[in-house]
Amino acid sequence: MSIAVGQTAPDFTLLNQEKKEVKLSDFVGKRTSYLCGTPLDWSPTCTNEHACFVNEMKAFETLDAEVLGVSVDSVWSHKAYAEKMGIKYRC
Protein backbone atom coordinates (compact mmCIF):
# COMPACT_ATOMS: atom_id res chain seq x y z
CA MET A 1 0.00 0.00 0.00
CA SER A 2 1.37 3.41 -0.86
CA ILE A 3 0.26 6.83 0.31
CA ALA A 4 0.81 10.25 -1.20
CA VAL A 5 2.87 13.01 0.36
CA GLY A 6 0.73 14.81 2.93
CA GLN A 7 -1.77 11.97 3.17
CA THR A 8 -2.50 10.60 6.64
CA ALA A 9 -0.59 7.39 7.33
CA PRO A 10 -2.54 4.36 8.55
CA ASP A 11 -2.17 3.64 12.25
CA PHE A 12 0.31 1.01 13.39
CA THR A 13 2.07 -0.19 16.52
CA LEU A 14 5.71 -1.33 16.58
CA LEU A 15 8.34 -2.00 19.22
CA ASN A 16 11.16 0.54 19.43
CA GLN A 17 14.81 -0.10 20.30
CA GLU A 18 13.86 -0.17 24.01
CA LYS A 19 11.18 -2.86 23.42
CA LYS A 20 8.42 -0.31 24.13
CA GLU A 21 5.32 -0.08 21.96
CA VAL A 22 5.06 3.03 19.82
CA LYS A 23 1.67 3.68 18.25
CA LEU A 24 1.48 6.26 15.48
CA SER A 25 -1.97 7.43 16.58
CA ASP A 26 -0.50 8.47 19.97
CA PHE A 27 1.05 11.47 18.19
CA VAL A 28 -2.08 12.64 16.35
CA GLY A 29 -2.94 16.19 17.38
CA LYS A 30 0.17 16.49 19.55
CA ARG A 31 3.21 16.59 17.31
CA THR A 32 4.01 16.39 13.64
CA SER A 33 5.45 12.94 12.99
CA TYR A 34 8.09 12.21 10.37
CA LEU A 35 8.39 8.55 9.39
CA CYS A 36 11.88 7.61 8.33
CA GLY A 37 11.65 4.33 6.42
CA THR A 38 14.94 2.48 6.17
CA PRO A 39 15.53 -0.97 4.67
CA LEU A 40 18.40 -2.22 6.89
CA ASP A 41 19.99 -0.73 10.01
CA TRP A 42 23.62 -1.48 9.15
CA SER A 43 23.58 -0.68 5.42
CA PRO A 44 25.58 2.29 4.08
CA THR A 45 22.42 3.98 2.79
CA CYS A 46 20.65 3.79 6.15
CA THR A 47 23.78 4.83 8.01
CA ASN A 48 24.01 7.99 5.89
CA GLU A 49 20.29 8.68 6.29
CA HIS A 50 20.32 8.26 10.08
CA ALA A 51 23.47 10.40 10.38
CA CYS A 52 21.55 13.22 8.67
CA PHE A 53 18.67 12.90 11.15
CA VAL A 54 21.02 12.80 14.15
CA ASN A 55 22.86 15.89 12.89
CA GLU A 56 19.61 17.78 12.21
CA MET A 57 17.61 16.87 15.33
CA LYS A 58 17.65 20.50 16.53
CA ALA A 59 15.74 21.49 13.39
CA PHE A 60 13.11 18.81 14.04
CA GLU A 61 12.86 19.88 17.69
CA THR A 62 12.35 23.51 16.59
CA LEU A 63 9.41 22.33 14.48
CA ASP A 64 8.12 20.20 17.40
CA ALA A 65 8.36 17.20 15.09
CA GLU A 66 8.75 13.58 16.18
CA VAL A 67 11.10 11.44 14.10
CA LEU A 68 10.15 7.75 13.97
CA GLY A 69 12.44 5.26 12.26
CA VAL A 70 10.65 2.31 10.64
CA SER A 71 12.50 -0.76 9.42
CA VAL A 72 12.17 -4.53 9.07
CA ASP A 73 15.09 -5.14 11.43
CA SER A 74 14.72 -6.72 14.87
CA VAL A 75 14.48 -4.79 18.14
CA TRP A 76 17.95 -5.96 19.24
CA SER A 77 19.42 -4.76 15.93
CA HIS A 78 17.74 -1.36 16.38
CA LYS A 79 19.11 -1.06 19.92
CA ALA A 80 22.70 -1.87 18.93
CA TYR A 81 22.47 0.37 15.87
CA ALA A 82 20.93 3.28 17.82
CA GLU A 83 23.72 3.08 20.40
CA LYS A 84 26.43 3.01 17.71
CA MET A 85 24.90 5.88 15.71
CA GLY A 86 23.88 8.08 18.67
CA ILE A 87 20.21 7.84 17.70
CA LYS A 88 17.95 9.27 20.40
CA TYR A 89 14.69 9.15 18.44
CA ARG A 90 12.54 6.02 18.32
CA CYS A 91 13.52 3.47 15.72
Side-chain angles (χ1 to χ4, degrees):
M1 179 174 108
S2 64
I3 59 174
V5 173
Q7 186 178 352
T8 301
D11 195 22
F12 60 85
T13 303
L14 297 172
L15 294 178
N16 69 6
Q17 69 265 38
E18 301 300 327
K19 295 184 181 178
K20 295 180 182 173
E21 285 191 353
V22 177
K23 190 173 184 178
L24 185 61
S25 60
D26 290 342
F27 299 96
V28 173
K30 297 176 186 164
R31 300 182 79 181
T32 299
S33 299
Y34 178 79
L35 298 178
C36 166
T38 55
L40 295 170
D41 284 338
W42 301 95
S43 72
T45 299
C46 294
T47 297
N48 291 337
E49 187 174 12
H50 281 293
C52 291
F53 286 114
V54 169
N55 293 337
E56 296 297 327
M57 281 311 295
K58 291 283 185 211
F60 286 101
E61 290 168 3
T62 300
L63 297 170
D64 195 31
E66 182 79 20
V67 175
L68 302 168
V70 180
S71 173
V72 298
D73 291 303
S74 67
V75 173
W76 69 264
S77 178
H78 289 319
K79 183 169 180 60
Y81 188 70
E83 289 172 0
K84 180 183 183 300
M85 294 292 297
I87 296 170
K88 305 292 185 213
Y89 53 88
R90 296 172 181 101
C91 66

